[in-house]
Amino acid sequence: MTTTPEPANLTPDQKKYGAHDIPSYLDPNNIGPYEIYLEQVERVTPYLGKLAYWVETLKRPKRILVVDVPVHLDDGSVAHFEGYRVQHNTSRGPAKGGVRYHQDVTLSEVMALSAWMTVKNAAVNLPYGGGKGGIRLDPRKYSQGELERVTRRYTSEIGLIIGPEKDIPAPDVNTGPQTMAWMMDTYSMNVGRTATGVVTGKPVALGGSLGRSDATGRGVFVAGAEAMSKLGMPLEGARIAVQGFGNVGEAAARIFHEHGAKIVAIQDVTGTIYSDAGINPAVALSHLRATGSILGLSGAEEVTRDEFWGLPCDVLIPAALEKQITLANAGRIQARLIVEGANGPTIPAADDLLAGKGVTVVPDVLANAGGVTVSYFEWVQDFSSYFWTEDQINERLDRIMRDAFRSLWDVKERHGVTLRTAVYIVACTRVLEARALRGLYP
Ligand code: GLU
């Protein structure tokens, strides 16, 4: 029988991690991104009322698969990579979330990313649970052929647990439409039919959706613009600093620029640039494509990676990786508004520091939900084999992001909490309501 012991019976670690045995991956001496997520769940628990009875559901991923991915390299040798697929929760529908290729991918990171997908999908009310995958490899070191073999073998290995009605991968850091085409083809070959709905973020020619490639950046813009209007900050001439110039950061910068904002700083893996007069993101992108770096862009000066955080700006958009905003830089941030394009860019202690300074943070689980929202549209279109126009996609995306933002902002005002806690209150309540209604099997 499952009982919840009185708080007095719990050790401090049990209070933090849950009433029952602490699984090895929650070892507090070896914390990773999952610890950040657990801290966020901790903060929301007092607002969950009777549903707090089920809160441990949110702390434990439903299913974790770790796979060995062996492939032939171009030089004839065999390399082994470690791959993961974590299905954090499926209470509200199939697991859903991207696949990341990065040299620093760990199980803790994929667990956290999968949990944030659960919260994100519930926050914008998509009929999904949360999942995430990853392979620990530096894609810059491998040829297209090698990456194709890695992707196909990984897809085959996780093929046991993915599927259009089970778990639907999508792009994330260093993966894109071509990766999804290989995944769709591999899964389809294995099941003996063309199953377009097994992944989203595919090329449009293979059942992908118009508007998907800009969707995350577009959602960042919609959420950011809504926040600016609540804070009385004009869009015209607003000074924006962007960290990350990939699928999310580049699109967000471009769309903010199109709406009259000024992109004053960009940081990516190649360096950091600043221009008081403003950077045209389209010109920065052509420069990056031509030279392989954002450095050397005319009219922009190079600054150090660390200086980026203290640059004068109104809005900061971290759109790269986790744990970027920490106690080492949060105090220097000049922006009044942070819009999290990345997943998990702010550690909880920095969140507190920013809240204390009066900085508003639009959290990842709301700000970057535009990508998975258009993934949902893609999945629906694949099921019905009927495709919408780009205008229809963008209009529906804008509406979902705007409505979600406004109702979550109201929750924040009502409870007097940060926007992150407000989003967690709504999302965790939705997940645990589904959990409570379904009950435990057997
Ligand atoms: N990787 C994206 C995210 O973190 C998109 C996930 C999806 O479309 O399923 O939200």
Side-chain angles (χ1 to χ4, degrees):
M1 194 181 91
T2 309
T3 55
T4 308
E6 289 302 308
N9 297 340
L10 302 180
T11 66
D13 280 344
Q14 283 175 326
K15 276 187 194 155
K16 197 158 186 191
Y17 298 113
H20 311 295
D21 286 347
I22 300 172
S24 59
Y25 52 76
L26 298 186
D27 176 358
N29 296 315
N30 185 23
I31 58 166
Y34 202 65
E35 174 82 350
I36 297 178
Y37 163 73
L38 290 175
E39 177 72 41
Q40 291 160 345
V41 172
E42 225 24 63
R43 290 173 179 215
V44 78
T45 305
Y47 299 93
L48 296 176
K50 284 191 176 151
L51 288 171
Y53 175 78
W54 294 101
V55 76
E56 209 165 318
T57 296
L58 294 171
K59 300 181 183 179
R60 298 182 182 241
K62 175 187 174 61
R63 187 176 285 133
I64 294 175
L65 183 59
V66 183
V67 295
D68 175 38
V69 184
V71 290
H72 282 295
L73 297 183
D74 293 345
D75 67 6
S77 64
V78 177
H80 290 255
F81 301 97
E82 190 156 296
Y84 311 95
R85 185 72 191 171
V86 178
Q87 297 173 344
H88 174 260
N89 189 278
T90 56
S91 291
R92 305 178 72 252
K96 178 90 192 84
V99 176
R100 168 174 300 199
Y101 290 180
H102 196 275
Q103 59 277 14
D104 298 330
V105 163
T106 61
L107 178 57
S108 167
E109 180 188 28
V110 179
M111 285 164 56
L113 291 164
S114 71
W116 288 323
M117 288 308 304
T118 300
V119 177
K120 187 187 307 184
N121 292 330
V124 288
N125 217 356
L126 304 179
Y128 291 135
K132 201 82 170 199
I135 306 179
R136 190 179 316 121
L137 99 174
D138 182 350
R140 291 169 301 187
K141 294 196 176 141
Y142 299 94
S143 69
Q144 278 288 99
E146 289 167 335
L147 291 173
E148 175 173 352
R149 294 194 287 279
V150 167
T151 302
R152 288 184 180 279
R153 180 61 188 253
Y154 167 74
T155 306
S156 235
E157 293 295 338
I158 65 165
L160 293 166
I161 62 167
I162 62 169
E165 282 156 338
K166 288 157 76 174
D167 180 1
I168 306 107
D172 196 76
V173 174
N174 293 329
T175 56
Q178 180 61 72
T179 328
M180 295 305 117
W182 293 327
M183 290 189 78
M184 188 278 264
D185 183 69
T186 305
Y187 180 85
S188 297
M189 292 296 108
N190 286 342
V191 298
R193 70 190 162 87
T194 295
T196 53
V198 67
V199 290
T200 59
K202 299 178 294 294
V204 172
L206 290 179
S209 179
L210 294 167
R212 176 63 184 87
S213 57
D214 272 0
T216 313
R218 195 180 166 91
V220 166
F221 167 74
V222 175
E226 283 290 320
M228 290 172 78
S229 118
K230 294 279 187 203
L231 298 170
M233 298 167 71
L235 197 49
E236 187 68 40
R239 298 166 60 87
I240 315 243
V242 184
Q243 187 201 33
F245 203 52
N247 175 263
V248 182
E250 184 277 322
R254 173 165 35 85
I255 299 169
F256 266 106
H257 175 80
E258 281 164 12
H259 286 79
K262 196 151 89 170
I263 308 304
V264 292
I266 301 177
Q267 175 171 92
D268 79 349
V269 277
T270 66
T272 310
I273 53 174
Y274 174 74
S275 166
D276 194 48
I279 296 162
N280 181 337
V283 177
L285 184 62
S286 328
H287 177 81
L288 173 64
R289 287 198 174 138
T291 67
S293 170
I294 57 167
L295 297 178
L297 180 71
S298 83
E301 60 179 298
E302 180 179 347
V303 298
T304 66
R305 298 198 74 78
D306 191 52
E307 273 168 337
F308 173 80
W309 302 105
L311 292 173
C313 65
D314 305 307
V315 182
L316 173 64
I317 304 178
L321 295 169
E322 305 90 71
K323 295 204 275 186
Q324 297 300 300
I325 301 180
T326 63
L327 295 180
N329 54 32
R332 281 180 282 144
I333 289 174
Q334 297 199 34
R336 277 179 65 201
L337 174 65
I338 297 178
V339 188
E340 295 184 336
N343 292 309
T346 311
I347 68 161
D351 242 350
D352 294 342
L353 194 151
L354 292 165
K357 291 207 312 180
V359 178
T360 299
V361 178
V362 184
D364 48 5
V365 284
L366 170 59
N368 71 35
V372 71
T373 299
V374 176
S375 277
Y376 167 57
F377 297 161
E378 178 173 334
W379 182 73
V380 168
Q381 292 170 87
D382 287 342
F383 268 121
S384 56
S385 297
Y386 179 77
F387 291 87
W388 313 346
T389 66
E390 189 156 3
D391 282 349
Q392 284 173 320
I393 306 272
N394 288 342
E395 193 225 304
R396 289 172 191 189
L397 168 62
D398 291 359
R399 187 163 6 108
I400 287 182
M401 290 299 297
R402 216 174 26 239
D403 291 353
F405 183 93
R406 290 180 187 171
S407 66
L408 293 164
W409 186 272
D410 289 346
V411 173
K412 158 193 144 66
E413 302 279 273
R414 206 160 54 241
H415 288 284
V417 292
T418 63
L419 191 52
R420 190 186 313 277
T421 299
V423 177
Y424 273 72
I425 292 174
V426 171
C428 295
T429 299
R430 284 181 179 150
V431 174
L432 296 182
E433 258 171 7
R435 178 61 160 137
L437 284 166
R438 287 178 65 162
L440 283 183
Y441 172 85

